[in-house]
Amino acid sequence: MNYDLRLVAYTPNSDRLGLLPHPLAFQIAQPLNDVPALVLRYSRRALGADLLGQPCEVAVEWSEDGQTWTESPDARFLRIKRGTDITDETGVETFEMPGYGWQLRKIVLYAGPSPLVDGKRAFTSATPGTILQTFLAEAQVRGALPALDWTFNTTHDSAGEPWAKILTIYYQPGLDALTTLINLSEQSVVDFCVQGRTLHVYNADTELARDRTTAPRVDLLLGRDILNAPDTGTLEDAASAVLVVGDDGFRQSYVNNTAALPWGRWENFIGQGGVSDTGTAFLLAESSLARAAKERVQHTREITPHAARWLPWKDYQPGDKVIAPASGGTLAALRVRQITLTKDANGVVGGNVVLNDRFLEQSIRFARRTAGIVGGSTASGGSGAQPAPQTPRGRTAAKPVGLIVDSIAYVDASGHAQGQITATWGPVLLDVNGEAVDIDSYELFMRDNVIGAPWFLIATTEPDDTTATYSPLLVGQEYAFKVRATSQGVKGVFSDSYAVEVPDDTTAPPVPTAPTLETRLGVIHVKWDGLGVGATAMPSDFHRVRVWMQDPLDPGESEVGYLQAAGSIVVIDQPYGADREFWLTSVDHAGNESAASATATIAAAALVDTDVIGEIIDGEHIIDGTIIASDKVTASTITGALIQALQIDTGHLAANAVTANKIAAGAITAAKIDAHAVTAAKLEAILALATRIVAGDPIAARVELNSTGLAAYDAGGTQTVLISSTGSVSIVGQLSSGTTGNRLVINPVGATQPEIRFHPGTGTNYSRLYSDGSMYAGEATMVMSSGTNGAGTSRSQIVVSATDLRVHIFDPTSGLAGGGYLFAKPAELEVGYNDASANLHRFRFTSAAAQYAGKWSYSGSGAGLIMLSATINTNTGYTYPFGVTLLSTPFIVAMSDYNGDNRATVRNRTTTNFGVQVYAATTVSTTLMVWAWRA
């Protein structure tokens, strides 16, 4: 094989100039989703040096036969920086050349035709193609980068696939296109490369994430493809605990108990505004702790193209997943993050590849997911806009535009998949009449994406925050969202709704380590150490490993058992001396299954001489006294198939001669015992079992009697009933005190949390009491919910957790508040009234102050405080009645709400009315704000 590299010069944005045939040396580095670089040393006295005498483009081409040459993606460079030493008589110059895509930094965003939002240009509900094409097309109209081309558009990526993500984001004019492109790739929105002078942009993890671990499998082997394999590891970023601090005093700490660090507990901190729900906080903490759980190792592998079977660029490129030696030399699936190729003064081509293992790739995914939550561009970002100028009260804010909702799945502390969403929208600056309006807050609502389903308020943000997060949600469920702004207490118009399906967890657990096999007592024992390949601990959502077996001479796998932790199973009924091949796969709670582990092979060993294997031993073949049950008969020595019916009776058995540990599992079955062959008189009073008695499928739906008690399992192998030998009883599933009428139902069918329902009689209008462990991470939250009223418009609910107590009434149809409420937290107490018509009256007590919002009213003669307004259309005097007779003459304060030169004076106070004198140059209409209280 004659793998080689060469350099070709081009006129900037134009035709080929010719070869650069005599480089002293050069090195090309191609990282994934970044700008490549070429370092070239060339003598000014060498042939072709004149082509480098002025700015040009240099392409790196490769060939495996010296005849056909190919320019790979990210292999075109710009000769823009050079250096030399004039005292060097050899005239060597060094050129540092960035990739052609580096020029994207020379394209900046202009303001555009639409008005800016807080000085930023808005891209609402835009695809990545729309954003990038805006940069490129507008720049080319201005005359920038005329030779740059691109293969995507506003609707499809460079592979012709529809864009997978929609964005709402605001960019500051002056931002360059390269920064924008790299930012989008860092958040897992796009992957990109440049072929020649053409930009290709794809949906993330698609075209530039090819799987080369299956046919045609690319395996880089030591000694053939790889010469050296250095690893660099660091614990600098390790941590086992993290503190998340969010809005409104939200604080939550999380600990990774599986992160065994050499110096004990190391802590980290995440401070993120906009985070106030425990699900999102858990998601951020999980990402941080997963990235910091262990030593981070980078694998650099020196390649030798001349002896290799697989060639860079031809067989693999940055982004591909290949098979290569990981830590310790074990072959594993690794992702190519960078290819570096060199050609030295002797013309020898070499280089290296930087590979990421499963842990580092997961870390990158976590970092991208976190970026999306804490302020990236995918369904987040916000504008940072300041509130618009204050306007008169009572204006209705226009509907927000550009609502985008991005959903992801994560694994909660219990190991089950949950959903989380991040919503973003454009800021509202105008009311429904097109006038400027001051926004108090935004309210995000959600419902099941079903017509007629109720809407629920799930998040409220500050006026300058147009991003909200919420969790947990059910994976695989489709939800609809809408948002509205509030202005001085007035609810605005809802945005258009946006529907999204929460994805399920699709990440499989690590591949288990290979099973360890033993054969004794005529059966096979399959052991597992509880770890994944590379001593990796199984994740929190791990459910079980499945044990597979096949005859290697007659392939056809079958599942023979499973393990939910380190341990072993016994495989019986296998012929002696015949090889059996075993392997494992791991499965999580979501049903994701890993690839197969390495295999192990063993054959069951015989316990006695082969002259009696398979033969019936009757009385005349057994010499009296030669078989003593206590020490001559062991498990599996005599199986059911080798005992003739009625040939062993109580006269042949000594007391305690046959016990459970002397009979192998499955050795004596019903088919091997004649009717009446074993009677009560022939069994010892106590029968001890070493394993278990199973009715049903041994690994699926069954009832089982074992050493722990009596248990039942469903078709998926999940335990549903356990009557323990200690006296405790556990039941998974519904338990009801009756089928109809007044009844109590525990753990009802369809419930997602531990729940008790109280049915008062006929119908389905029941009340509930349930515990929700996901509402506040780490807390057992108790929720009590009533049934609805006769009209179906009202329901009461009490929520009790360690840090939050809520009592409220709401409309179950609309999901909106519908009456009085009480919210108590460690740092505050709020009592008030709120309904769908925006009537809000509340007291809020904190350590700093007591606050009141709403309207005051009075009734009866005992009123102590009156707040009212009055309109006066005179500049002389006015008498205003209270409407009731107070117990004493009140004190009164009146203030004139008029933008002019006037003032008001209170006079003639009585228990029934008061007088006001307004002083103004002319007759005006004046609104008075009046406070009165009894002496």
Side-chain angles (χ1 to χ4, degrees), residues 598-634:
T599 62
T601 302
I602 199 171
L607 298 180
V608 297
D609 293 339
T610 57
D611 59 349
V612 296
I613 295 178
E615 300 295 331
I616 294 177
I617 305 176
D618 55 29
E620 66 183 33
H621 292 97
I622 301 177
I623 300 174
D624 185 37
T626 59
I627 297 181
I628 302 174
S630 60
D631 60 2
K632 299 294 179 60
V633 180
T634 60

Side-chain angles (χ1 to χ4, degrees), residues 637-885:
T637 304
I638 302 179
T639 64
L642 304 178
I643 302 175
Q644 284 186 335
L646 305 178
Q647 291 303 301
I648 298 179
D649 57 30
T650 53
H652 298 114
L653 294 177
N656 300 317
V658 180
T659 61
N661 67 340
K662 296 177 181 178
I663 303 176
I668 301 179
T669 64
K672 297 174 181 177
I673 303 176
D674 281 356
H676 308 298
V678 179
T679 65
K682 297 175 181 177
L683 290 177
E684 186 184 358
I686 298 177
L687 177 63
L689 297 176
T691 55
R692 58 182 184 168
I693 296 177
V694 177
D697 189 325
I699 62 172
R702 65 190 185 277
V703 176
E704 176 177 312
L705 180 63
N706 54 42
S707 60
T708 63
L710 177 63
Y713 298 80
D714 63 16
T718 300
Q719 189 178 73
T720 57
V721 177
L722 173 63
I723 302 176
S724 171
S725 58
T726 62
S728 62
V729 178
S730 300
I731 298 177
V732 177
Q734 178 172 299
L735 177 62
S736 178
S737 63
T739 57
T740 60
N742 294 324
R743 64 193 185 278
L744 178 71
V745 181
I746 301 176
N747 200 26
V749 175
T752 59
Q753 304 287 353
E755 180 175 330
I756 302 175
R757 293 180 183 173
F758 303 86
H759 293 257
T762 59
T764 60
N765 192 12
Y766 52 81
S767 57
R768 309 166 61 199
L769 179 65
Y770 61 96
S771 178
D772 191 336
S774 61
M775 185 176 294
Y776 300 95
E779 297 183 16
T781 302
M782 184 64 66
V783 181
M784 183 171 69
S785 179
S786 73
T788 61
N789 62 351
T793 60
S794 183
R795 169 175 286 157
S796 299
Q797 191 175 75
I798 301 176
V799 178
V800 182
S801 74
T803 57
D804 197 353
L805 169 64
R806 302 184 186 184
V807 180
H808 58 271
I809 299 173
F810 64 96
D811 184 338
T813 300
S814 66
L816 302 179
Y821 67 90
L822 179 148
F823 295 160
K825 295 183 179 181
E828 66 177 288
L829 169 67
E830 184 173 324
V831 182
Y833 173 88
N834 192 7
D835 60 27
S837 299
N839 296 310
L840 174 63
H841 316 286
R842 69 178 183 187
F843 276 104
R844 183 170 180 265
F845 303 92
T846 68
S847 59
Q851 305 168 351
Y852 176 77
K855 301 176 182 179
W856 283 94
S857 65
Y858 58 92
S859 62
S861 60
L865 176 63
I866 300 172
M867 287 187 286
L868 50 87
S869 63
T871 301
I872 300 177
N873 295 301
T874 177
N875 63 342
T876 55
Y878 183 79
T879 299
Y880 193 88
F882 293 129
V884 297
T885 301

Side-chain angles (χ1 to χ4, degrees), residues 130-293:
T130 299
I131 296 172
L132 295 173
Q133 190 163 289
T134 299
F135 275 82
L136 303 177
E138 289 184 358
Q140 287 193 339
V141 170
R142 298 191 299 265
L145 272 62
L148 178 69
D149 196 6
W150 57 91
T151 55
F152 57 88
N153 56 37
T154 59
T155 59
H156 293 76
D157 71 359
S158 293
E161 295 297 323
W163 289 110
K165 293 192 175 182
I166 307 296
L167 303 89
T168 289
I169 191 167
Y170 297 79
Y171 285 135
Q172 188 79 38
L175 180 69
D176 67 83
L178 181 59
T179 298
T180 303
L181 181 59
I182 292 177
N183 174 261
L184 293 177
S185 70
E186 287 174 343
Q187 294 178 67
S188 199
V189 177
V190 301
D191 291 331
F192 69 91
C193 64
V194 178
Q195 175 73 61
R197 301 184 182 112
T198 301
L199 174 64
H200 300 265
V201 183
Y202 306 94
N203 286 315
D205 297 326
T206 57
E207 195 71 15
L208 296 187
R210 302 179 303 176
D211 188 355
R212 290 292 187 259
T213 62
T214 57
R217 169 172 159 153
V218 175
D219 52 348
L220 306 180
L221 303 182
L222 289 170
R224 185 191 70 186
D225 307 271
I226 295 175
L227 294 178
N228 297 305
D231 291 336
T232 303
T234 178
L235 283 167
E236 294 172 296
D237 298 323
S240 56
V242 62
L243 173 65
V244 180
V245 176
D247 284 343
D248 299 326
F250 179 88
R251 285 175 173 80
Q252 190 74 44
S253 62
Y254 301 86
V255 178
N256 181 0
N257 293 318
T258 64
L261 301 180
W263 290 274
R265 175 174 169 136
W266 283 1
E267 298 178 332
N268 202 356
F269 169 79
I270 299 174
Q272 181 55 44
V275 174
S276 59
D277 71 289
T278 55
T280 299
F282 176 83
L283 197 57
L284 294 175
E286 178 202 34
S287 299
S288 175
L289 291 175
R291 295 196 303 270

Side-chain angles (χ1 to χ4, degrees), residues 274 277 279-280 283 372-373 378-380 403-410 418-425 444-446 458-459 467-474 477-482 498-503:
D277 71 289
T280 299
L283 197 57
I373 295 172
T378 303
S380 59
L403 173 63
I404 298 295
V405 182
D406 188 42
S407 61
I408 58 175
Y410 68 98
Q418 302 282 6
Q420 186 262 1
I421 63 96
T422 300
T424 190
W425 56 90
L444 181 65
F445 287 76
M446 178 195 77
I458 60 171
T467 298
T469 59
Y470 182 75
S471 61
L473 296 169
L474 296 176
Q477 180 73 33
E478 193 171 270
Y479 297 95
F481 299 84
K482 62 182 180 180
Y498 189 100
V500 64
E501 181 178 342
V502 178

